[in-house]
Structure formats: C-alpha cells, structure tokens
Amino acid sequence: MKTKHASQWFQATVVLFAFLCCQQSKSQSYKLEIVDSVQVDILSSSVRIADVHRETGEILVIQTSPPKLWLLSSKGEIKSTWQRKGLGPGAIGSSLLSAEFYGDGIAMMGSMRVKLFDRNFKLVKSMIPHYASSHVIYEGDNHLIAFEGPNGQELISYFGGPQTEFPPTSREFYNEFNIVDRLNPFGFKGETALARDSVYKPAGKLSEGSRYKNDRTYFMLKSVFDAKNTQLYYAINTDTVLYKLNLHTNKIENRYKIPFDEFFVNDGLSLGKGAYDGQNKPKDREGQIERVFSASGMEVVIYRSGLALAEYQAVVTGSDFLKTYHRKNPAKYLIVKNGKRLNSELQPPKGIRTFDMADDFGYIWAHQNISLLDEEPELITFYKLKIIPDEN
C-alpha cells in the first residue's frame, strides 16, 4: 500500500507540474496592442514624436524640414512652438533630426550639432563634435536620447556613422566602429562654447564575435538603439544580434541572437576598392532592423525580413514598386526577453504606419496610417501601444 500511495502521489505531482508549466507557458505569450491615442491639431503630415517627458508626460513633436518643434501637454494640447532656419545661435541648421527633454530644457539635434535650450528656447550651450562625418544621416530615426550618467544626466547621439576617417572598405573602419556618441555637456565651461573637443566620446564598439569583423566590406551600416536609465539597447541594422551595454562601464552586459522568423543577410564584399563594383551584383535583399525599444522589462524589435533574389527581382521589374515591395516585405515585430520570443503574432496592430519611440511609462508611440482612411483626417493621431498578455 505504501508503494501504491507513493506512485499515486508521484503521478499527481507530474500532472500538476505539467499543468503549471502549461499555464506558465500560456501566461508568457504577449502582444503589442493600441491602448490609447493622442490627437494633435498640427498642420503638417511629416511629423513624429521625438520624446515624452519622464515625469510630466509632455510630448515633443518635430518636423525635420523646415525645422520645427511643438511642445505639447500629455493630452496633445500645444503649449509652445519653435521654428527657425539657418545657422545662427538660436538655429539648428537646415534639418531638425531629433529632440529630447534634457534637464530643465530641451536638446535639439541638427546635422553635426546638438544645442541645449531652456523652455523659452533661449540657447544655453552649442555642442559641435570634433570629427567630420561624411556618413548618411537617416531622417526619422531617434538620434538623441538622454540617460543617467555617473555625474548626472547625459546624452547619446548618432550622426550616421562611427568616429573614423577610414572608409568601410578598410579593416580599420570596423576596428574603430563605435555604436553611438556620448555627450557630456558638463565636459566644458562656458554658456555657448563650441564643444569641438572632449565632449563627443565614442561609446560601444563591434564585439570580437561580430559578423562584421571578418575582413569583408559592409556598406550602409547604422546603429539602431534605445536607452533606459544607464543601459543602451542596440543592434546594427543588418545584424542578427541584440546587445545590452552599460553606459557607465561601456561594457556589454548581455547579448543574444534575435529570434527572427526569417532574416536575409549577406556575406559582405571583399576589402578594397573592388567592393564598390560588387555592390551592383545581384543578391538577396537583406533584412533590416528598423527600431529597437526597451519597454516593460522586454525588448521590442521592429524589422523587415528581406527578400530572396528571385522574388526581389520580380518586385523591381513590376509596376508600383514601393507598394508591392512593402506588401512582400512587410514590417514585423518581436517581443523578446533574454533572447526568447514571447509573441506569436508578428504583424503590428492594424492602422500603424511607423513607430517613433518608447517612453519611460512603458508605452511605445506610433503614427496612424492615414492611407487606410477614406479621407484625410483633420487631426494627427499618435497611438500609444503597450505590451500586454496575449490570451489567444
């Protein structure tokens, strides 16, 4: 009888353990869902959210060109507006690439410059990097993010390429490649001094195991990143690995293979001038990581898988290229924790055009896709998305 009771107890324990594992597995499935929206009365269709204040919920909306910025309440009411072209002390240049709440004011980023303003848009400091860049700066990316530095709030920026004079066809380019630039506004004295030295410090680099350090040439590499508190979450746009970097120590604390459903990569081209000729050779359309977000203790990766050569050639030779290309190679998303994919549905919620940024309240902000509407709306709608359990 004793043996029989033990056997029954063991069987019940196994069944209970299996049940709990099943329940735990179910509870670990998540999805992105639109939970709220903010409508804004702005007469421009080419705007995006650059930042959300971590305490007040105020919103910075920017227009790249001509440069314009709106400071909104958390409900989307316009509180103040800044607009100025040119290169004067209170201007940012021909393009406003990003903006960020910083201290008691606002930081704005133009081409190869970051300026700090107070809430009345009076210039406080102008910071120009000590190196020249000939790299492409991609409009629409979040190029400027604040983080908690060892001595107070600092900024990280990205000007389209690493701090190197070497071309991507050389081995030295990948040895000197840095992920972002770290800005320390406290690194120099003076209210409006030009910070050409000592302020823009390289942060992050290609790890020794990176696929880009294999003596091959890779064109059009760019950093895709987010920052929360002291951590930088990043990937290279055509890579398959996501990294978590401590911005205090400049050391990688975690890395994992991104669990893509499908992601085309190329093997690079030969080093030297011959790589330029190799760009025109037929090959698969490689995948692209478009956004990396940190939200609710997880990472969200927005990407396109790419297309096999034959399918891509069919798209190129067909009519209405862009529409067909985006249909064949749609934007997808992953919710990931410790390298494990947690979502079953890859397609973003219907009605999303592009993703902008992730705030400190756990929301990911996105644009409404007005092409799905029957008529042009009078107000611009920004969606707030949240990671929630997927009950299906």
Side-chain angles (χ1 to χ4, degrees):
M1 292 295 292
K2 183 177 180 181
T3 304
K4 183 177 180 181
H5 282 308
S7 176
Q8 289 174 338
W9 177 85
F10 177 76
Q11 290 175 0
T13 301
V14 170
V15 171
L16 178 61
F17 178 76
F19 173 77
L20 291 175
C21 287
C22 181
Q23 291 300 106
Q24 184 181 28
S25 176
K26 283 185 178 180
S27 68
Q28 289 180 343
S29 182
Y30 294 87
K31 64 179 179 179
L32 270 181
E33 185 165 292
I34 297 172
V35 295
D36 200 357
S37 64
V38 172
Q39 291 189 315
V40 185
D41 188 9
I42 291 177
L43 294 176
S44 176
S45 59
S46 58
V47 296
R48 62 184 178 87
I49 291 181
D51 194 23
V52 174
H53 198 282
R54 64 179 62 185
E55 295 176 357
T56 65
E58 292 172 299
I59 303 166
L60 289 180
V61 172
I62 65 170
Q63 173 182 278
T64 300
S65 183
K68 192 170 184 178
L69 177 146
W70 293 263
L71 172 61
L72 312 179
S73 71
S74 60
K75 296 181 179 180
E77 304 155 329
I78 298 175
K79 299 178 69 173
S80 59
T81 304
W82 172 92
Q83 184 175 21
R84 186 164 180 180
K85 296 171 63 176
L87 296 173
I92 201 68
S94 60
S95 299
L96 176 58
L97 299 172
S98 199
E100 184 82 358
F101 286 110
Y102 183 80
D104 295 329
I106 296 169
M108 297 188 207
M109 176 178 170
S111 179
M112 297 308 290
R113 67 191 66 243
V114 171
K115 294 187 176 183
L116 304 183
F117 298 87
D118 64 18
R119 283 297 188 102
N120 296 315
F121 302 113
K122 178 183 177 183
L123 180 65
V124 178
K125 286 183 180 179
S126 177
M127 300 181 288
I128 299 176
H130 60 278
Y131 66 96
S133 175
S134 59
H135 303 285
V136 175
I137 298 180
Y138 297 83
E139 294 183 3
D141 290 353
N142 200 3
H143 297 274
L144 190 67
I145 303 178
F147 73 97
E148 294 301 321
N151 302 312
Q153 201 173 27
E154 296 185 38
L155 292 160
I156 52 173
S157 69
Y158 180 70
F159 287 116
Q163 293 191 28
T164 179
E165 296 179 358
F166 292 100
T169 54
S170 68
R171 185 179 295 107
E172 291 81 2
F173 176 87
Y174 306 94
N175 291 333
E176 295 188 0
F177 193 102
N178 61 285
I179 306 302
V180 292
D181 300 313
R182 177 171 173 168
L183 283 69
N184 179 9
F186 311 107
F188 68 101
K189 297 179 179 180
E191 291 300 306
T192 58
L194 296 181
R196 292 187 181 275
D197 303 303
S198 77
V199 173
Y200 285 79
K201 297 290 187 181
K205 61 182 180 180
L206 295 178
S207 65
E208 290 306 314
S210 170
R211 76 182 193 91
Y212 302 112
K213 297 191 75 172
N214 66 345
D215 290 341
R216 302 284 286 174
T217 293
Y218 297 88
F219 291 108
M220 307 299 285
L221 299 185
K222 70 168 182 173
S223 302
V224 187
F225 61 92
D226 192 12
K228 291 289 184 292
N229 299 319
T230 64
Q231 307 297 322
L232 179 72
Y233 302 83
Y234 71 89
I236 304 300
N237 59 320
T238 56
D239 203 0
T240 58
V241 180
L242 189 142
Y243 298 86
K244 179 182 176 182
L245 177 83
N246 187 313
L247 284 164
H248 286 194
T249 63
N250 206 30
K251 293 182 178 179
I252 294 172
E253 293 188 343
N254 191 21
R255 76 185 81 190
Y256 59 75
K257 195 88 168 176
I258 302 172
F260 293 117
D261 61 320
E262 185 178 40
F263 196 79
F264 288 87
V265 297
N266 67 44
D267 297 325
L269 302 164
S270 61
L271 291 178
K273 294 181 180 180
Y276 294 105
D277 296 329
Q279 289 184 93
N280 300 320
K281 293 181 179 180
K283 54 183 177 293
D284 295 337
R285 185 71 170 184
E286 60 186 340
Q288 291 282 332
I289 299 173
E290 297 185 346
R291 293 287 191 279
V292 168
F293 298 123
S294 171
S296 303
M298 306 173 211
E299 290 85 56
V300 176
V301 180
I302 312 297
Y303 69 102
R304 296 180 190 270
S305 291
L307 293 172
L309 175 60
E311 192 170 12
Y312 179 63
Q313 287 179 326
V315 170
V316 172
T317 56
S319 59
D320 204 351
F321 165 70
L322 279 179
K323 186 176 181 179
T324 306
Y325 176 72
H326 286 147
R327 179 170 55 82
K328 294 281 189 179
N329 187 28
K332 307 174 187 177
Y333 79 96
L334 297 172
I335 299 174
V336 187
K337 187 167 186 177
N338 296 325
K340 181 181 178 182
R341 172 179 154 186
L342 301 180
N343 59 309
S344 57
E345 176 58 55
L346 295 174
Q347 301 301 318
K350 188 176 180 181
I352 299 297
R353 189 185 74 186
T354 55
F355 290 86
D356 286 347
M357 56 88 63
D359 65 22
D360 291 307
F361 301 102
Y363 295 108
I364 294 176
W365 291 77
H367 275 68
Q368 180 187 42
N369 188 349
I370 62 174
S371 66
L372 300 177
L373 305 178
D374 294 331
E375 57 184 32
E376 188 88 11
E378 295 183 0
L379 301 175
I380 292 175
T381 299
F382 294 107
Y383 290 126
K384 296 168 69 173
L385 295 94
K386 196 89 170 180
I387 299 173
I388 65 169
D390 189 352
E391 306 297 341
N392 296 324

